[in-house]
């Protein structure tokens, strides 16, 4: 990360902080009845609770609130605890609030099993493992536009450890016969679990770390693949012969940018692989396939350092064509994959606009050089017809000028 360009990084981080720091405690102010309250990772969701420790049980009074994503006006919200080792859907003992278009919302308790995940219809049950649910109710908080579930749980201390409680929440939009049906499986929906220490109101484990690493992943990829590589290409295209002949230097800039970009991007890529590995139940196939393509072929491009034919070789011309075409194709795939990554995040408007700003910046530089090239070319064709014979400027329509003859 030390190689990252400071201005760009600061620029991106400024955007990030603006999109990750919401109004943190404001939703909680609406539930003064609860001693502990926090916003959950899912946008707009809150969790508030009071607990009381008895000899063999813990009495836990909870409130879970979440909005329905517009334009939906019906669906379900769910919150539950999982007595298993991990905070996950299967095994969760859930309270589900069913929200109808008309009529008041209703609530029920469910035991969520493997079969649920495979699509079997859930049936309500009062026989939950290790807990009892009392006074469950669902309501609509018009001011905050939240649907809320409130209930009192009696947890058996032998089954649930309140300093390591797995809790799980979800919002879905399909309902059948008063039971919840499958929910979306975007990042937001599979991220909705954590292990919390109710005594300190702190999250345990690697979940926070993961969302931090996601930001690092995004920044490194945008800076590495999305900024340095294109700058390197611009240097190779415009500083080599036309419009500016920066003998020697263009190659240093080109190789320097490509090396920094490649190393930064690869670090981001490795973090991506790790993130993909950790969220075992979910793979973002398009993003992953593009990512592997990008890594494989930028590696091939980097091999140009060693495996380039000599300028005198017959097939150097074809090698150049291949190197340039692959280079441009990579830029396109990188651009697509960055937007793909941002769309996986959902609601990453800050990310989207910072990348668009970078693209606009790179586009402006390219446009400038392109215009400058034409300007010089036109000027030259009038004034110095003699010189034109040795130095034919590249036609922009031909793509990149035939390359590195001189080094
Ligand atoms: C009603 C029928 C339901 C179906 C068919 C269903 C289906 C699924 C599927 C297929 C996944 C895996 C997504 C993926 O990794 O690609 C999943 C994940 C998840 N579901 Fe459900 N689900 C249902 C109900 C619920 C309920 C009621 C809750 C909340 C209590 C819930 C919470 C979760 C959570 C937190 C995840 C992500 C973590 C994990 O995979 O364990 N689901 N669900
Ligand atoms: C060209 C640049 C990029 C490459 C090569 C790349 C690579 C990867 C890879 C290999 C994965 C693992 C996929 C899986 O196994 O499911 C991944 C996941 C992911 N990437 Fe990217 N990525 C890039 C850009 C971005 C950007 C710009 C963002 C967002 C700002 C982003 C956000 C994500 C997210 C949210 C995940 C899922 C993480 C998780 O499962 O917890 N990526 N990326
Ligand atoms: C709850 O109370 C029991 C017995 O009073 C005690 O053994 C246990 O450590 C307590 N747990 C917490 C988290 O305070
Ligand atoms: C707690 O559990 C123990 C044994 O499991 C039992 O002997 C005791 O009566 C229980 N205490 C209460 C208050 O239920
Ligand atoms: C509750 O579930 C357990 C196992 O999950 C089962 O052994 C028990 O018979 C059930 N009790 C009732 C009343 O259905
Ligand atoms: C449940 O509600 C009833 C009446 O609304 C109340 O008397 C009772 O104390 C409540 N139980 C709990 C555990 O909050
Ligand atoms: C509950 O979890 C905490 C933290 O992991 C641990 O220190 C404590 O011994 C556990 N308590 C019980 C009763 O298992």
């Amino acid at each position: 990360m030390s190689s990252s360009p400071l201005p760009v990084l600061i620029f991106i981080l400024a955007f990030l902080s603006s999109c990750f720091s919401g109004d943190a405690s404001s939703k909680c102010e609406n539930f003064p009845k609860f001693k502990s309250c926090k916003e959950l990772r899912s946008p707009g969701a809150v969790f508030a609770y009071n607990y009381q420790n008895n000899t063999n049980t813990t009495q836990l009074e909870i409130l879970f609130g979440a909005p329905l994503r517009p334009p939906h006006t019906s669906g379900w919200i769910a919150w539950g605890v999982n007595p298993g080792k991990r905070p996950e859907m299967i095994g969760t003992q859930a309270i589900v609030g069913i929200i109808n278009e008309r009529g008041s919302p209703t609530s029920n308790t469910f035991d969520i099993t493997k079969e649920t995940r495979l699509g079997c219809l859930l049936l309500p049950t009062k026989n939950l493992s290790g807990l009892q649910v009392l006074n469950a109710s669902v309501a609509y908080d018009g001011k905050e536009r939240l649907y809320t579930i409130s209930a009192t749980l009696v947890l058996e201390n032998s089954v649930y450890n309140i300093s390591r409680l797995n809790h799980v929440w979800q919002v879905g939009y399909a309902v059948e016969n008063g039971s919840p049906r499958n929910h979306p499986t975007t990042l937001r929906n599979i991220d909705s679990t954590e292990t919390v220490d109710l005594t300190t109101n702190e999250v345990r484990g690697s979940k926070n770390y993961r969302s931090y690493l996601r930001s690092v992943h995004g920044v490194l990829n945008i800076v590495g693949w999305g900024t340095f590589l294109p700058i390197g290409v611009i240097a190779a295209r415009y500083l080599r012969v036309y419009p500016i002949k920066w003998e020697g230097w263009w190659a240093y800039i080109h190789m320097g940018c490509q090396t920094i970009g490649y190393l930064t991007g690869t670090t981001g890529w490795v973090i991506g692989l790790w993130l993909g590995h950790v969220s075992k139940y979910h793979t973002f196939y398009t993003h992953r396939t593009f990512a592997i393509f990008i890594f494989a072929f930028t590696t091939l491009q980097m091999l140009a350092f060693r495996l380039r034919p000599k300028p005198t070789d017959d097939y150097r011309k074809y090698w150049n064509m291949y190197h340039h075409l692959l280079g441009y194709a990579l830029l396109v795939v990188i651009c697509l994959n960055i937007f793909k990554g941002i769309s996986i995040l959902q609601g990453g408007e800050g990310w989207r606009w910072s990348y668009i700003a970078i693209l606009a910046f790179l586009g402006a530089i390219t446009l400038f050089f392109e215009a400058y090239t034409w300007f010089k070319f036109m000027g030259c064709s009038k004034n110095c017809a003699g010189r034109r014979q040795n130095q034919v400027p590249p036609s922009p329509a031909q793509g990149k000028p035939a390359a590195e003859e001189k080094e």
Side-chain angles (χ1 to χ4, degrees):
M1 272 241 286
S2 58
S3 57
S4 312
L6 265 181
V8 179
L9 204 63
I10 290 169
F11 175 65
I12 292 173
L13 289 178
F15 263 105
L16 291 193
S17 52
S18 70
C19 54
F20 284 123
S21 67
D23 38 340
S25 59
S26 66
K27 281 223 170 62
C28 282
E29 283 163 13
N30 296 292
F31 311 110
K33 194 179 127 196
F34 295 92
K35 286 199 197 76
S36 309
C37 176
K38 64 177 185 157
E39 301 230 327
L40 296 169
R41 225 189 329 269
S42 318
V46 279
F47 175 55
Y49 61 91
N50 290 326
Y51 72 96
Q52 188 191 327
N53 187 11
N54 307 323
T55 323
N56 292 343
T57 59
T58 302
Q59 184 159 328
L60 180 64
E61 199 185 346
I62 62 111
L63 177 137
F64 167 75
L68 292 185
R69 189 144 40 90
H72 297 280
T73 50
S74 66
W76 53 270
I77 62 170
W79 178 89
V81 289
N82 193 321
K85 283 206 189 67
R86 273 177 295 157
E88 58 186 3
M89 170 177 132
I90 293 169
T92 296
Q93 312 294 301
I95 309 169
V96 180
I98 305 283
I99 296 143
N100 302 305
E101 203 99 29
R102 281 175 291 271
S104 52
T106 56
S107 81
N108 251 320
T109 51
F110 297 88
D111 177 9
I112 294 167
T113 61
K114 269 209 300 295
E115 287 73 29
T116 315
R117 193 178 194 140
L118 299 175
C120 295
L121 187 65
L122 273 167
L123 293 176
T125 175
K126 292 267 175 286
N127 185 15
L128 301 170
S129 67
L131 81 158
Q132 273 182 295
V133 176
L134 309 171
N135 293 2
S137 67
V138 204
Y140 180 63
D141 183 332
K143 182 160 156 269
E144 292 294 321
R145 302 193 176 169
L146 284 182
Y147 283 94
T148 56
I149 292 177
S150 12
T152 301
L153 278 64
V154 181
L155 303 173
E156 283 168 27
N157 286 346
S158 56
V159 179
Y160 298 95
N161 182 344
I162 60 158
S163 44
R164 212 172 48 209
L165 187 71
N166 297 322
H167 78 134
V168 167
W169 61 95
Q170 194 56 274
V171 177
Y173 302 102
V175 175
E176 191 180 324
N177 294 337
S179 285
R181 294 301 272 165
N182 60 317
H183 52 81
T185 54
T186 65
L187 195 64
R188 184 185 289 177
N189 298 84
I190 58 173
D191 250 5
S192 53
T193 74
E194 65 190 17
T195 303
V196 68
D197 184 345
L198 293 185
T199 60
T200 59
N201 199 12
E202 262 163 24
V203 180
R204 285 174 171 272
S206 60
K207 280 276 161 103
N208 275 344
Y209 193 51
R210 250 166 73 189
S211 66
Y212 173 71
L213 275 186
R214 268 186 207 139
S215 310
V216 174
H217 168 78
V219 171
L220 290 183
N221 281 314
I222 290 177
V223 169
W225 305 126
T227 311
F228 270 99
L229 287 194
I231 290 178
V233 170
I234 289 173
R237 188 181 159 101
Y238 296 108
L239 303 183
R240 197 173 52 83
V241 183
Y242 239 89
I244 296 167
K245 193 166 176 186
W246 232 9
E247 224 148 344
W249 279 102
W250 78 266
Y252 291 124
I253 298 177
H254 178 62
M255 292 192 210
C257 281
Q258 303 317 72
T259 308
I260 296 172
Y262 179 75
L263 294 180
T264 315
T266 302
T267 314
W269 179 75
V270 169
I271 295 175
L273 284 185
W274 185 83
L275 286 169
H277 173 75
V278 172
S279 52
K280 8 179 150 25
Y281 300 113
H282 205 80
T283 304
F284 300 94
Y285 289 104
T286 317
H287 190 61
R288 185 188 164 93
T289 309
F290 278 167
I292 289 169
F293 175 88
I294 291 166
F295 176 71
F297 288 99
T298 41
T299 306
L300 209 61
Q301 293 285 76
M302 293 305 285
L303 290 179
F305 275 133
R306 307 301 308 264
L307 300 180
R308 186 177 31 182
K310 290 192 194 69
T312 51
D313 285 345
D314 290 344
Y315 54 91
R316 173 69 182 237
K317 196 168 76 194
Y318 300 107
W319 187 88
N320 280 339
M321 252 159 77
Y322 139 83
H323 187 73
H324 300 161
L325 277 179
L326 185 55
Y328 288 122
L330 274 170
L331 290 190
V332 172
V333 177
I334 285 169
C335 179
L336 290 178
N337 210 33
I338 288 178
F339 280 120
K340 187 75 203 166
I342 291 171
S343 76
I344 290 175
L345 271 184
Q346 284 190 310
E349 289 311 305
W351 289 93
R352 185 165 288 121
W353 287 110
S354 19
Y355 183 53
I356 289 174
I358 290 172
L359 281 183
F361 175 69
L362 295 172
I365 294 180
T366 311
L367 217 66
F368 168 78
F369 276 126
E370 205 64 42
Y372 188 57
T373 309
W374 277 101
F375 178 75
K376 272 190 92 166
F377 177 56
M378 298 312 239
C380 194
S381 55
K382 274 187 207 129
N383 306 328
C384 44
R387 247 171 60 198
R388 250 171 79 201
Q389 256 125 41
N390 339 332
Q391 240 185 41
V392 180
S395 149
Q398 276 177 341
K400 207 180 146 157
E404 305 141 55
E405 298 91 351
K406 288 191 183 174
E407 255 175 72

